[in-house]
Amino acid sequence: MTEPLVLQPKLDLPAAAPLAEELKARLEGDVVLDARDVTQIGALCLQVMLAAATSLKAAGHSLSLTNVNDRVVEQLAQMGFSPETVAEGRV
C-alpha cells in the first residue's frame, strides 16, 4: 500500500505547483491525501486535487482524503465542495 501524502498546512497559491508535482508522481495507483495538518485550503489547490481525482478515476484508481478537520470541511463547503466530492472529482 502506498504511503499517504501528508498535505502542507497552508494549501495556497505557492503550494499548488508542488502539490501538483507530488500528485502527478502518484497517478499510477490509489492516492490517499492526509489533511491532518491543513489549516487553510485555497481554490487553486482544490482545483489541483480535483484534477488528480478525475485523472485517477479515469485510470481506474481512486483518491481519498483522510483526517479532514472541521475548519477544512467548512472552507471546502464555502467553495461548494465536501471531502467526498473532491475525492470523486465532481465539479
Side-chain angles (χ1 to χ4, degrees):
M1 183 173 176
T2 306
E3 285 292 312
L5 172 58
V6 179
L7 297 171
Q8 297 297 314
K10 195 171 181 183
L11 295 174
D12 56 0
L13 179 62
L19 177 60
E21 288 302 314
E22 281 279 349
L23 289 170
K24 192 184 214 182
R26 295 174 178 244
L27 292 177
E28 299 298 318
D30 295 341
V31 174
V32 177
L33 301 177
D34 186 337
R36 69 177 169 230
D37 297 330
V38 179
T39 59
Q40 178 184 347
I41 183 166
L44 192 53
C45 284
L46 172 59
Q47 184 177 0
V48 167
M49 288 187 271
L50 289 167
T54 301
S55 295
L56 287 161
K57 190 174 183 179
H61 301 295
S62 67
L63 180 135
S64 60
L65 287 120
T66 62
N67 302 317
V68 182
N69 62 49
D70 290 343
R71 184 174 180 172
V72 173
V73 169
E74 183 178 316
Q75 291 173 21
L76 288 172
Q78 290 173 351
M79 293 184 275
F81 292 90
S82 70
E84 295 77 21
T85 58
V86 173
E88 295 170 9
R90 273 197 278 163
V91 180

